[in-house]
């Protein structure tokens, strides 16, 4: 395990062995379970720039998400996509590379929708900055988005720039029996729910509302259901799920054992799903295969011609 | 007819393969009319299979192609290539699927932006990205440029709403990424494809996410003695923790233009007008509007005008959205620039633009998305004057360099195209540009998909006189 303490050392680390892979806190260990020298990102840690008035921050990739959330909270801001396993020590680079978002993805989007820029080291050991550092930018190819979910297979992320939002004044959680129609109605309604999840077992629908407290109570009465403690979202966020599957709302009934999140777009489970990605355990990384196109190898060749990083199939 | 055209003729009936100069004239430029090139031919496929066959033929013959939607690009993105063809995608204009439960639409690339919202409206849904050209520009063009609009701060750009893409790449390979789910596994291929400026290939089917329409709006127009005060008001709104759907500013010259063009009416004696819009469930807006009104009242405006009904709201937006084209009333020609600065530097950026304007004696009107620091300076000139276009372009270039120096970007939403190729190197190092060129080569090893765009280097085509886009002259679209 190599532990670079600066971006220059990160470059050297990438070039130091024929096969390397970055790891954050290894909260999603299956994702980095490959035969390669591990580069620990833990020392490359810290928020490098944060100006609340810009709605952006920069942080080194090994920065624990907990640290970022705390810094944002002090200024009344947050990451709306709800990163997972925060208390377990997830790093912001790990969040990007694994492409995992939590229930909050429903309202404003996932990791991919809040990442603005990256500095990363490609397979040739070049430190590159792509994307931008401002909330809006259309210059150049959107490599930052591509690295979301790239699992460290195309480059090592050294530093990231994210967009953030003001944190809503209050949140309120409703619990009610799950019915597909009801969920669709709430999703399409004027309520602008912040999250819409179905608990494992497929019986219970959770609705999270966010905004000024007085307004939420009125909305809650109209939606119905029982008001429950908001801490349920912390439990959901910190559960070390083993598998993740991307689904559509019409597939919810096929994923009864799973925790269904984001209005029926993601399923997290402990038992092997028919298809999906393994986050922990010995199952193959990709369950039930994945789409394959020739362009994948060509892009891999473009970013990592010597195959210094493993491939998505390793 | 050349051999290439003969092969194309085997794929398409004569009416859909244009080769005569009179037929080609309409395709010689996009909305950046300073650049013109006559292509070898224009092809008008009607099916995805035809597009794929054409691209594969181009690959076989090493024949360059430029995809084209409505040709409203402001950066020369859809400018043809003399030795290549234009693939006009307007006839692939079907909405293939609209699913109100999944809240998605699957569309062909030639579908017009507003058609998606029109189709979704009966279900209480809408497609969020709203470029000012939305009544005419295509989803394919939006995808290629990652187009924005007035609501980017809260809802993001085109890319944030694209869930799936089927495309034919420059290699001839047909790929399908993502789909109906908002989530995906593995690298974000759709994210990489959106914003490729036509250099990776052609989008054939795009899956878009739809959002519920906001129930209620609160739109306020506030006039200020100085631009600086308007800028301070923006800072105060941002610091308050509100997340408005839109925050826009127009300066005195832009106001003058809007008054002339659409008889907009603004508080007298103002050097700047600020528009802030809240949206959401009525109970939420009722609470937030009080906070917004209090913040704005404390920002010493000359006058504050909250829209009292839907008509007043529309009037506010009409003045704002017409501002670009309206500038045509003040000057025979103008260039729309598109740059981004960190929001806290907006005041400084505007001061420096004003200084450059005084120094060069070139009038500049400013209309901008203040919420996300996206400037749109409108540089006024008279193309009949010797060298005026070049002087205007020089000023535009200085403004872009200033944006980069301040830590911003050379484009917030209009793309690099032909116009800003030479500025890419101001934002990215040679290694970074090389990385992007390697990616481009992966998607298009022969360099046949929209060559000569985005990357610096090639000889620039000659510029000529700039004017309004023909559709703007006709009053069909306006720019933002
Ligand atoms: C109570 C508790 C329980 C814990 N349980 C476990 C446990 O069960 N198993 C365990 O392993 N750890 C566990 N941990 C450790 C902790 O989870 C880790 O510190 C973790 O959160 C960091 O992983 P990560 O999310 O940063 O990403 P990782 O899991 O390290 O990485 C995810 C993926 O991203 C890639 N990646 C990471 N960083 C980068 C980067 N900068 N650039 C490119 N690619 C990158 C990796 O290659 C991998 O493919 C536990 C900790 C606590 C406190
Ligand atoms: C009056 C006016 C106002 C405008 N306002 C805004 C605004 O508010 N915000 C904003 O962001 N932009 C704005 N624009 C710029 C322009 O409208 C957008 O860039 C738009 O997305 C272009 O769409 P189009 O269909 O006209 O594309 P075209 O101009 O035809 O093409 C644009 C680019 O997309 C490529 N392309 C087209 N179709 C495809 C496809 N299917 N697959 C791959 N590549 C393709 C072309 O090769 C070209 O590079 C404005 C333009 C005008 C004239």
């Amino acid at each position: 395990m190599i532990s670079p303490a600066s971006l220059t050392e990160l470059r050297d680390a990438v070039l130091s062995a024929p096969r390397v892979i970055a790891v954050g806190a290894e909260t999603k260990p299956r994702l980095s379970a490959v035969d390669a020298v591990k580069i620990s990102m833990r020392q490359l840690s810290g928020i490098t720039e944060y100006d609340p008035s810009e709605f952006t921050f920069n942080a080194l990739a090994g920065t624990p998400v907990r640290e970022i959330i705390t810094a944002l909270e002090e200024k009344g801001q947050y990451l709306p996509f709800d990163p997972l396993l925060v208390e377990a020590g997830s790093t912001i680079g790990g969040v990007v590379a694994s492409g995992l978002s939590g229930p909050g993805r429903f309202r404003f989007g996932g990791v991919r929708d809040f990442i603005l820029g990256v500095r990363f080291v490609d397979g040739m050991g070049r430190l590159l900055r792509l994307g931008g550092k401002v909330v809006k930018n259309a210059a150049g190819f959107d490599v930052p988005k591509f690295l979301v979910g790239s699992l460290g297979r195309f480059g090592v992320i050294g530093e990231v720039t994210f967009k953030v939002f003001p944190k809503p004044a209050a949140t309120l959680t409703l619990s009610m029996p799950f019915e597909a129609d009801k969920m669709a109605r709430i999703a399409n309604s004027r309520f602008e729910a912040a999250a819409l999840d179905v608990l494992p077992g497929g019986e219970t629908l959770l609705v999270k509302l966010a905004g000024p407290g007085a307004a939420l109570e009125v909305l809650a009465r109209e939606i119905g259901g029982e008001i429950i403690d908001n801490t349920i979202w912390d439990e959901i966020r910190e559960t070390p799920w083993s598998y993740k599957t991307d689904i559509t709302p019409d597939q919810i009934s096929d994923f009864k054992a799973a925790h269904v999140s984001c209005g029926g777009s993601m399923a997290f489970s402990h038992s092997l799903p028919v298809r999906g990605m393994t986050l922990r355990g010995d199952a193959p990384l990709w369950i039930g295969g994945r789409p394959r196109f020739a362009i994948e190898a060509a892009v891999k060749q473009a970013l990592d011609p010597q195959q210094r990083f493993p491939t998505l199939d390793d | 007819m050349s051999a290439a055209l003969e092969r194309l003729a085997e794929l398409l009936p004569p009416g859909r393969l244009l080769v005569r100069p009179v037929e080609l004239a309409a395709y010689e430029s996009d909305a950046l009319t300073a650049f013109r090139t006559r292509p070898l031919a224009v092809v008008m496929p009607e099916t995805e299979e035809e597009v794929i066959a054409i691209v594969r033929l181009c690959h076989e013959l090493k024949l360059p192609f430029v995809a084209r939607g409505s040709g409203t690009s402001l950066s020369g993105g859809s400018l043809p290539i003399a030795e290549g063809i234009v693939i006009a995608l307007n006839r692939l204009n079907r909405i293939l699927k609209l699913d109100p439960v999944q809240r998605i639409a699957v569309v062909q690339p030639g579908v017009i932006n507003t058609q998606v919202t029109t189709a979704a409206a009966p279900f209480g849904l809408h497609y969020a990205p709203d470029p000012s050209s939305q009544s005419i520009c295509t989803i394919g063009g939006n995808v290629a440029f990652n187009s924005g609009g007035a609501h980017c701060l809260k809802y993001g750009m085109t890319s944030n709403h694209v869930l799936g893409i089927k495309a034919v790449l420059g290699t001839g390979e047909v790929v399908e990424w993502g789909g109906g789910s908002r989530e995906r596994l593995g690298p974000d291929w759709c994210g990489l494809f959106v914003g490729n400026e036509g250099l990776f290939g052609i989008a054939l089917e795009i899956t878009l996410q739809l959002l519920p329409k906001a129930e209620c709006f609160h739109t306020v127009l506030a006039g200020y003695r100085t631009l600086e005060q308007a800028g301070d008001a923006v800072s105060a709104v941002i610091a308050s923790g509100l997340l408005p759907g839109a925050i826009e500013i127009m300066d005195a010259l832009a106001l003058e233009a809007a008054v002339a063009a659409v008889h907009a009416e603004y508080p007298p004696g103002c050097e700047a007008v600020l528009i802030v819009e809240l949206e959401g469930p009525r109970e939420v807006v009722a609470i937030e509007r009080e906070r917004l009104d209090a913040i704005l009242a404390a920002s010493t405006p000359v006058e504050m005008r909250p829209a009292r009904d839907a008509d007043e709201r529309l009037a506010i937006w009409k003045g704002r959205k017409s501002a670009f084209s309206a500038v045509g009333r003040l000057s025979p020609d103008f260039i729309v620039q598109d740059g981004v600065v960190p929001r806290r530097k907006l005041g400084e950026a505007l001061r420096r633009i004003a200084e450059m304007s005084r120094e060069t004696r070139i009038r500049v009107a400013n209309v901008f998305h203040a919420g996300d620091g996206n400037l749109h300076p409108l540089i006024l000139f008279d193309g009949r004057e010797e060298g005026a276009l070049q002087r205007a372009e020089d000023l535009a270039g200085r403004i872009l360099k200033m944006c980069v120096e301040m830590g911003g970007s050379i484009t917030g939403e209009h793309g690099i195209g032909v116009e800003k190729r030479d500025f890419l190197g101001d934002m990215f190092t040679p290694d970074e540009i090389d990385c992007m060129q390697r990616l481009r080569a992966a998607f298009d090893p022969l360099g046949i998909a929209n060559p000569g765009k985005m990357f610096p280097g090639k000889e620039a085509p000659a510029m000529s006189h700039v004017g309004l886009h023909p559709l703007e002259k006709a009053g069909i679209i306006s720019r933002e």
Side-chain angles (χ1 to χ4, degrees):
Chain A
M1 179 92 86
I2 321 171
S3 285
S6 68
L7 292 174
T8 319
E9 284 180 25
L10 179 64
R11 288 177 46 175
D12 297 342
V14 167
L15 294 175
S16 69
R19 201 135 234 238
V20 294
I21 182 125
V23 295
E26 294 185 84
T27 46
K28 299 119 199 164
R30 177 61 186 92
L31 305 185
S32 51
V34 292
D35 187 18
V37 173
K38 289 197 170 147
I39 303 178
S40 163
M41 300 300 295
R42 281 176 179 268
Q43 287 202 64
L44 260 176
S45 174
I47 297 171
T48 46
E49 244 179 277
Y50 174 35
D51 187 337
S53 72
E54 295 299 327
F55 282 9
T56 60
F57 71 84
N58 291 307
L60 293 170
T63 312
V65 177
R66 175 76 266 166
E67 186 178 324
I68 291 168
I69 289 177
T70 306
L72 295 177
E73 250 164 21
E74 279 170 20
K75 303 290 181 192
Q77 298 185 332
Y78 79 133
L79 285 168
F81 60 84
D82 280 350
L84 302 172
L85 291 175
V86 174
E87 306 309 334
S90 282
T91 61
I92 191 73
V95 166
V96 172
S98 59
L100 289 171
S101 310
R105 190 193 199 303
F106 181 67
R107 175 76 178 96
F108 290 113
V111 185
R112 70 178 304 268
D113 298 297
F114 286 84
I115 191 166
L116 297 170
V118 290
R119 288 174 89 185
F120 74 105
V121 179
D122 71 3
M124 291 170 278
R126 304 186 297 183
L127 180 63
L128 310 169
R129 181 198 292 285
L130 290 171
K133 287 178 76 180
V134 277
V135 289
K136 199 168 182 188
N137 169 48
F141 300 138
D142 202 342
V143 173
K145 275 207 182 61
F146 178 70
L147 292 177
V148 173
S150 65
L151 302 174
R153 269 48 170 193
F154 296 84
V156 182
I157 301 162
E159 190 177 359
V160 292
T161 305
F162 267 87
K163 167 165 137 173
V164 298
F165 275 170
K167 193 170 174 158
T171 51
L172 185 149
T173 307
L174 290 167
S175 168
M176 62 196 77
F178 168 72
E179 285 162 39
D181 289 359
K182 195 191 309 171
M183 184 165 115
R185 266 202 312 279
I186 296 171
N188 285 16
S189 72
R190 67 184 196 91
F191 305 125
E192 302 193 350
L196 210 50
D197 284 26
V198 184
L199 293 181
E203 311 259 293
T204 309
L205 174 65
L206 297 182
V207 183
K208 177 150 106 181
L209 298 174
L216 302 188
E217 281 166 29
V218 183
L219 293 178
R221 272 197 297 278
E222 190 177 328
I223 297 171
E226 179 195 352
I227 297 182
I228 61 165
D229 206 296
N230 285 320
T231 49
I232 190 162
W233 300 105
D234 301 338
E235 283 162 40
I236 293 169
R237 192 189 64 217
E238 296 301 327
T239 307
W241 304 105
S242 298
Y243 307 99
K244 169 188 153 179
T245 309
D246 55 325
I247 62 168
T248 49
D250 54 319
Q251 296 167 343
I252 294 177
S253 55
D254 303 337
F255 286 81
K256 274 226 165 79
H259 177 94
V260 171
S261 196
C262 187
S265 274
M266 320 191 273
F268 292 104
S269 58
H270 293 302
S271 56
L272 195 72
V274 284
R275 59 181 183 84
M277 186 172 87
T278 303
L279 306 174
R280 58 184 64 229
D282 303 322
L285 186 52
W286 310 99
I287 306 152
R290 62 185 181 92
R292 278 162 208 281
F293 300 105
I295 186 64
E296 181 180 309
V299 166
K300 173 78 173 156
Q301 184 67 21
L303 294 175
D304 180 22
Q306 283 130 33
Q307 306 279 319
R308 215 172 265 285
F309 311 115
T311 71
L312 286 170
D313 292 318
D314 290 318
Chain B
M1 222 196 255
S2 77
L5 294 182
E6 272 169 33
R7 295 287 303 278
L8 281 168
E10 288 167 18
L11 297 178
L12 294 162
R16 297 197 278 121
L17 170 64
L18 313 182
V19 291
R20 289 165 40 222
V22 285
E23 296 171 324
L24 299 178
Y27 295 86
E28 283 176 4
S29 70
D30 57 20
L32 182 67
T33 47
F35 297 105
R36 289 187 175 277
T37 304
R38 178 166 301 171
L40 214 53
V42 174
V43 293
M44 308 175 91
E46 286 179 351
T47 64
E48 291 172 24
E49 292 69 35
E50 284 179 353
V51 179
I52 295 166
I54 293 163
V55 169
R56 287 184 174 160
L57 180 66
C58 288
H59 185 258
E60 183 197 325
L61 302 176
K62 296 193 175 65
L63 179 66
F65 61 87
V66 180
R68 183 177 174 110
S70 297
T72 64
S73 159
L74 288 168
S75 56
S78 38
L79 180 75
I81 293 153
E83 64 278 18
I85 61 168
V86 168
I87 305 181
L89 295 156
N90 314 73
R91 295 187 181 199
L92 279 90
N93 57 1
R94 283 190 305 139
I95 296 180
L96 301 171
K97 178 173 168 185
L98 197 137
D99 184 330
V101 174
Q102 287 191 37
R103 302 181 307 287
I104 57 164
V106 182
V107 306
Q108 290 188 321
V111 168
I112 305 296
N113 176 299
T114 40
Q115 286 173 347
V116 182
T117 287
T118 305
F123 306 101
L125 299 168
H126 80 299
Y127 174 61
D130 61 341
S132 296
S133 50
Q134 68 187 134
S135 63
I136 189 83
C137 65
T138 65
I139 297 295
N142 294 174
V143 164
F145 269 155
N146 194 13
S147 299
H151 293 82
C152 292
L153 179 64
K154 190 165 178 182
Y155 292 108
M157 326 241 300
T158 297
S159 192
N160 304 101
H161 302 269
V162 172
L163 303 179
I165 286 180
K166 176 179 177 189
V168 53
L169 306 180
T171 52
E173 183 181 28
V174 175
V175 295
E176 277 181 73
W177 293 307
S181 179
R182 265 131 176 101
E183 189 56 314
R184 56 205 93 194
L185 304 180
D188 194 333
W189 290 98
C190 287
L192 180 62
F193 192 87
V194 177
N196 76 67
E197 299 201 8
L199 273 65
F200 286 175
I202 297 186
L204 299 169
E205 271 179 35
I206 304 114
T207 306
L208 303 171
Q209 77 170 11
L210 304 172
L211 298 178
K213 273 187 293 195
E215 177 190 21
C216 181
F217 295 96
H218 175 56
T219 312
V220 189
L221 183 148
Y224 293 88
R225 205 66 75 207
T226 67
L227 261 175
E228 203 139 11
Q229 284 173 326
D232 290 345
V234 173
S235 303
V237 172
I238 292 293
S240 74
L242 292 170
L243 181 61
I247 310 180
E248 305 279 313
I249 291 183
M250 296 164 72
D251 75 357
L253 197 51
L255 294 174
E256 193 186 312
V259 170
V262 295
H263 308 294
E265 204 251 303
Y266 298 103
C270 291
E271 215 179 83
V273 153
L274 169 68
I275 299 168
V276 185
E277 183 166 274
L278 296 171
E279 41 162 60
R282 57 181 187 273
E283 296 88 346
V284 172
V285 173
I287 292 171
E288 292 186 341
R289 66 179 291 168
E290 278 180 32
R291 290 188 52 210
L292 177 66
D293 291 355
I295 292 160
L296 292 180
S299 68
T300 61
V302 176
E303 196 184 326
M304 250 172 81
R305 294 184 185 169
R308 280 164 303 189
D309 53 36
D311 287 344
E312 288 192 5
R313 170 173 181 257
L314 282 184
I316 290 175
W317 278 112
K318 189 172 174 204
R320 164 63 187 86
K321 294 219 169 188
S322 72
F324 279 21
S325 322
V327 167
R329 304 265 177 143
L330 304 182
S331 169
D333 301 286
F334 63 96
I335 302 174
V336 184
Q337 238 341 321
D338 167 47
V340 186
V341 296
R343 187 165 34 217
R344 65 177 181 283
K345 295 195 172 157
L346 266 180
E348 184 190 337
L350 292 169
R351 221 168 16 248
R352 282 175 59 182
I353 291 174
E355 270 165 32
M356 289 184 228
S357 165
R358 265 195 304 277
E359 186 192 306
T360 54
R361 300 187 185 185
I362 297 175
R363 288 193 297 167
V364 180
N366 285 289
V367 178
F368 49 97
H369 309 298
D372 43 32
N374 190 184
L375 301 168
H376 286 314
L378 299 151
I379 301 166
L380 279 51
F381 68 97
D382 183 347
R384 289 161 304 191
E385 253 172 53
E386 176 79 26
L389 170 59
Q390 193 52 51
R391 285 195 297 279
E393 286 284 352
D394 290 346
L395 176 58
R398 284 175 63 191
I399 294 174
L400 289 184
K401 285 192 192 274
M402 175 197 77
C403 290
V404 178
E405 271 169 36
M406 289 184 164
S409 171
I410 54 175
T411 171
E413 53 184 23
H414 296 171
I416 306 281
V418 175
E419 190 201 17
K420 296 183 180 177
R421 292 183 310 176
D422 293 337
F423 298 95
L424 198 68
D426 290 300
M427 221 173 128
F428 298 105
T429 65
D431 274 352
E432 288 158 0
I433 292 177
D434 176 66
C435 172
M436 290 193 273
Q437 276 173 326
R438 291 175 66 93
L439 282 172
R440 192 278 166 87
F443 283 89
D444 175 24
L446 302 178
I448 50 174
N450 214 4
K453 315 292 170 69
M454 193 188 287
F455 294 110
K458 279 214 178 144
E459 191 70 11
M463 281 191 303
S464 68
H465 187 84
V466 188
L468 284 183
H469 189 270
L471 290 163
E472 292 183 272
K473 285 194 179 138
I476 294 169
I477 51 171
S478 56
R479 32 183 112 185
E480 177 155 359

